[in-house]
Amino acid sequence: MAIEAWFMDETSGEDQRLPRHCYPKELVSPDYLAELGVLYWRLNPENYENDAELKKIREDRGYNYMDLLDICPEKVADFKEKLKNFYTEHIHADEEIRYCLEGSAYFDVRDKYDRWIRIWIKAGDLIILPAGIYHRFTLDTGDYVKLMRLFVGEPVWTAHNRPQEDHPARKEYIKNLVTEKVGAALEAY
């Protein structure tokens, strides 16, 4: 089963926890997400402590830091304010790596044309957002997700709210998008 993603109805004033599909629905393929630098694996969340594939991903990518985070009204102080902060568009200077162990939530990312794509993560989905991509996070209407956070080295959770066009991570991200686009055009030629 592939991850579910779609272009969002950006005019909707609906609750941020709803799917917010365009009408008609405009689904986004895993290949298109990969073009944006968003990586995805489907793993077994019930055996994460002994999962050989997760161990290999961590070793190959140098993810030596790990913690677990429950996000729900009962476990997060000032829950509504935190959810509002998570939903503010931002970038990070490093990759954002999240493995959904229980529940579900949304990551919204901007594509190369500045359109919002909603990515629905559920138990078993490991997603990596590249450094410099504009994104935001929210729960869905289940109001619960248990996430594993992975990081290279000491974790830095600093969010840099948009606009950040001069941030080194954003510049590098844009450069990589342009390089890949030019490379694909040359291959097609």
Side-chain angles (χ1 to χ4, degrees), residues 29-166:
S29 71
D31 288 342
Y32 188 68
L33 292 175
E35 285 178 33
L36 301 175
V38 177
L39 304 178
Y40 168 78
W41 286 264
R42 179 78 184 158
L43 303 173
N44 179 2
E46 295 175 15
N47 188 30
Y48 69 88
E49 290 110 339
N50 303 307
D51 188 328
E53 188 173 3
L54 176 60
K55 183 179 179 188
K56 181 173 180 356
I57 292 166
R58 289 186 66 182
E59 287 173 358
D60 290 351
R61 300 184 68 86
Y63 301 146
N64 57 343
Y65 175 89
M66 183 273 292
D67 69 7
L68 301 177
L69 181 64
D70 287 307
I71 304 174
C72 61
E74 299 77 25
K75 295 195 177 184
V76 175
D78 206 11
F79 176 76
K80 287 186 179 180
E81 189 62 30
K82 287 276 194 231
L83 208 54
K84 183 180 168 188
N85 290 342
F86 293 152
Y87 202 62
T88 301
E89 184 175 4
H90 62 278
I91 66 169
H92 295 286
D94 299 289
E95 291 179 330
E96 184 160 339
I97 307 103
R98 299 293 183 267
Y99 179 17
C100 183
L101 301 174
E102 296 173 8
S104 52
Y106 299 119
F107 277 97
D108 300 336
V109 298
R110 291 279 189 184
D111 78 351
K112 27 189 154 179
Y113 305 105
D114 215 31
R115 297 174 297 182
W116 278 119
I117 297 171
R118 176 148 278 189
I119 304 168
W120 194 13
I121 60 165
K122 296 175 236 164
D125 293 336
L126 186 147
I127 187 171
I128 301 174
L129 304 181
I133 192 171
Y134 283 120
H135 67 283
R136 61 190 181 190
F137 171 83
T138 191
L139 293 179
D140 60 16
T141 54
D143 269 344
Y144 174 71
V145 70
K146 180 177 192 147
L147 296 172
M148 175 186 291
R149 301 187 298 182
L150 299 170
F151 206 85
V152 175
E154 287 298 312
V156 178
W157 310 119
T158 305
H160 304 280
N161 292 346
R162 191 171 191 174
Q164 288 295 324
E165 301 314 308
D166 291 328

